[in-house]
Amino acid sequence: MIQNMFRKAMASDDATLSLDFTTGALDSRLTFTRSTTGTYINSSGYVTSAAINAPRFDYDPTTPTARGLLIEGAASNLMFRSQAINTSPWFNAGTMTISETGSSSPANDATSNVVTWTNGTGSGNAWLQQTVAVSAGSLVVGTAYTWSIWLKSRGGRRVNVFAVLQGVSGNREVRVDFGVSPPTVTSTVATGWTSIQTPTIVEYPNGWYKITTGGTLPASTTSVAFGLSNSDAVPASGTNGFEAWGYQLEAGSGASSYIPTGASTGSRAVDTAIIAAGTAFSGWYTGGLNGTFYADWYGGVAGASGTQRSVLATDDVTTKHLHLYQTATTNTMTLANFGGGSTLATSNAISPAGSRSKAAFSYATSAMNICLNGGTVASGTVTGFTVAPTWLSLGAPSTNGTSITGTTVVLNNSIRSIKYWPTVLSNAQLQALTT
């Protein structure tokens, strides 16, 4: 029954808006802007740069399958020389050599660094690091940070990725084991730092793996030494070491797209995707105060603000605002009116950060319903929504219809598709759509 309803709703439905971002094309009704370049994963699984104001259609690096339109908030990479770990302010000690040109990097070019450990070196006696100070415009105590780097094995040895606190005692260290297939990452030291992130390892083409972890910087810290070292004693012969590329340190509890840096830190501006007021909006939004929205996206990752993550929103002004967002702590989906001051309904299912989710909600003069991932439909009363909206923003709300103003709640992930019906679909149809 539900599958029949799904086919009816999706194949020959009466949706007046149907945006499919997995095609790699931007609908002409959408206005997209970003005042800087930005990187994304292309259809071959490589890190690629998009021009200013160019949308980024992201892909899974392992499969690779289309993930949709990437919508991220502004972010900065606080590490200098992200692709040149043999250049100051990087510092290396112990017995190793570093060359500037490795094999095909995660960007499919020759920009990685090759680190070769001298044969016979003892465990932990060969390391490199960059020290980042606690100061204005850099690290701030009490703030969550995420650091990530791409590594590639040379000799099948184990590599430590560390973040040693200075001013207070503590270290966050994870061990990457290239001696097993596939490689694994484990937490070996977690002292001083709080709210420790579980380390992750993601496969990329050409033998590369992206390692990510993080934590919250404790009080009294003066600086942090971020770096890499040999986890085991180096054998007396053979090729031993690793290749490295793209070290990134950013505020927030999740890694965003890569931001390359040189002699200074680097930044990426917020993505804006809006169907503005006028015929681009009124041509499909014909339901007035009644209708149904559907979204298919990847769960938002908390950025520097750590608050809720937005999926879609109509005008962020009094009487016209409907806002579908992922809550900050429980990862349920909430539909709220202007300013989030009144929660209209909250879903019963959950939407884990980073995972694919589907949600649909209907609304009428006095009632609304919301369903997440085919779960139980939650119902509520429509309040504060009394005038038909005039624009739609994706991934974050907008108070003016031309730019993202809710910069602390940006999705920080990809949207696969958005649909709208000018009618109220049944609860069974909401479940079918999101199953």
Side-chain angles (χ1 to χ4, degrees), residues 19 23 32 45 74 102 104 128 139 244 246 275 300 315 321 326 339 407 413 423:
L19 304 175
T23 64
F32 184 92
S104 181
L128 57 95
L139 297 178
I275 300 181
D315 318 33
H321 188 55
Q326 178 181 315
T407 56
N413 218 319
T423 57

Side-chain angles (χ1 to χ4, degrees), residues 238-371:
T239 299
N240 299 286
F242 58 91
E243 291 186 43
W245 187 86
Y247 204 114
Q248 182 148 311
L249 168 65
E250 58 192 305
S253 56
S256 68
S257 61
Y258 174 55
I259 303 168
T261 66
S264 61
T265 61
S267 62
R268 182 194 61 246
V270 64
D271 295 299
T272 296
I274 294 176
I275 300 181
T279 57
F281 183 87
S282 61
W284 59 269
Y285 191 91
T286 57
L289 298 179
N290 304 282
T292 301
F293 275 100
Y294 163 83
D296 181 353
W297 79 101
Y298 288 90
V301 178
S305 61
T307 58
Q308 66 260 25
R309 299 292 123 198
S310 176
V311 179
L312 64 84
T314 60
D315 318 33
D316 193 7
V317 297
T318 306
T319 72
K320 296 182 179 181
H321 188 55
L322 292 176
H323 187 190
L324 177 68
Y325 63 85
Q326 178 181 315
T327 56
T329 54
T330 61
N331 284 337
T332 53
M333 295 306 297
T334 292
L335 184 68
N337 66 3
F338 178 66
S342 176
T343 297
L344 306 182
T346 298
S347 67
N348 295 309
I350 62 172
S351 175
S355 66
R356 182 180 173 185
S357 290
K358 301 176 184 179
F361 66 90
S362 63
Y363 53 97
T365 304
S366 59
M368 65 81 52
N369 300 286
I370 184 172
C371 183

Side-chain angles (χ1 to χ4, degrees), residues 26-42:
L26 191 72
D27 189 285
S28 60
R29 292 167 290 188
L30 268 167
T31 298
F32 184 92
T33 60
R34 185 187 57 255
S35 61
T36 64
T37 60
T39 65
Y40 65 101
I41 308 303
N42 67 15

Side-chain angles (χ1 to χ4, degrees), residues 216-229:
T216 298
L217 195 63
S220 300
T221 302
T222 57
S223 61
V224 182
F226 295 92
L228 305 152
S229 68

